[in-house]
Amino acid sequence: MDLSEEVQAKMLQASLGARQHSHSPYSGYAVGAALLDEQGRIHVGTNIENAAYPQGWCAEASALTAMVMAGGKQAVAVLVTGPGPDVITPCGGCRQKLREFAGQDLLIIAGDPSGIKQQWTLGELLPFSFGPEHLSSKA
């Protein structure tokens, strides 16, 4: 999927803005996510750490929650930002969470405060994935 430069710029600003709300006192690594849904709306999320480390959640999961709460059903694209300069991608768990609401063609864009760095499809980052359609036929 190709997104216009205007939509990508809006998503980048939304993701960077979400980073400002990160609760990351342990790692100091603020992450933001901006998720575009099937209705063209942008939903944001940030990482929230917890002293009991496995109990925190990622920016992408937060954005998915915002999308579902707003009535969104499908993710079209997600833009994730970190502090830079290293390019970040959704973690394995978030790749699977995104797969619940998108197919292999989901556009995943990485950015940082200096701009957009790279993009992939979910299929490139999570090949041969298991999704909802696998449960639709019972053998």
Side-chain angles (χ1 to χ4, degrees), residues 29-41:
Y29 196 87
V31 177
L35 190 146
L36 182 69
D37 74 10
E38 79 280 5
Q39 298 176 46
R41 300 175 300 175

Side-chain angles (χ1 to χ4, degrees), residues 108-134:
I108 299 176
I109 306 167
D112 66 26
S114 70
I116 292 173
K117 298 298 185 184
Q118 200 166 345
Q119 66 181 31
W120 311 264
T121 64
L122 182 59
E124 291 172 310
L125 296 180
L126 188 67
F128 308 107
S129 66
F130 185 83
E133 69 278 4
H134 291 98

Side-chain angles (χ1 to χ4, degrees), residues 37-120:
D37 74 10
E38 79 280 5
Q39 298 176 46
R41 300 175 300 175
I42 296 172
H43 308 277
V44 296
T46 191
N47 59 321
I48 301 172
E49 296 177 350
N50 188 292
Y53 288 113
Q55 299 305 311
W57 55 92
C58 299
E60 300 89 338
S62 296
L64 281 168
T65 298
M67 179 190 81
V68 170
M69 291 302 297
K73 304 287 185 208
Q74 183 179 10
V76 174
V78 63
L79 194 152
V80 182
T81 54
D86 296 326
V87 174
I88 64 166
T89 65
C91 71
C94 283
R95 292 175 192 190
Q96 185 62 47
K97 287 176 180 76
L98 289 164
R99 179 64 175 87
E100 183 69 18
F101 296 94
Q104 297 286 30
D105 60 342
L106 174 71
L107 182 61
I108 299 176
I109 306 167
D112 66 26
S114 70
I116 292 173
K117 298 298 185 184
Q118 200 166 345
Q119 66 181 31
W120 311 264

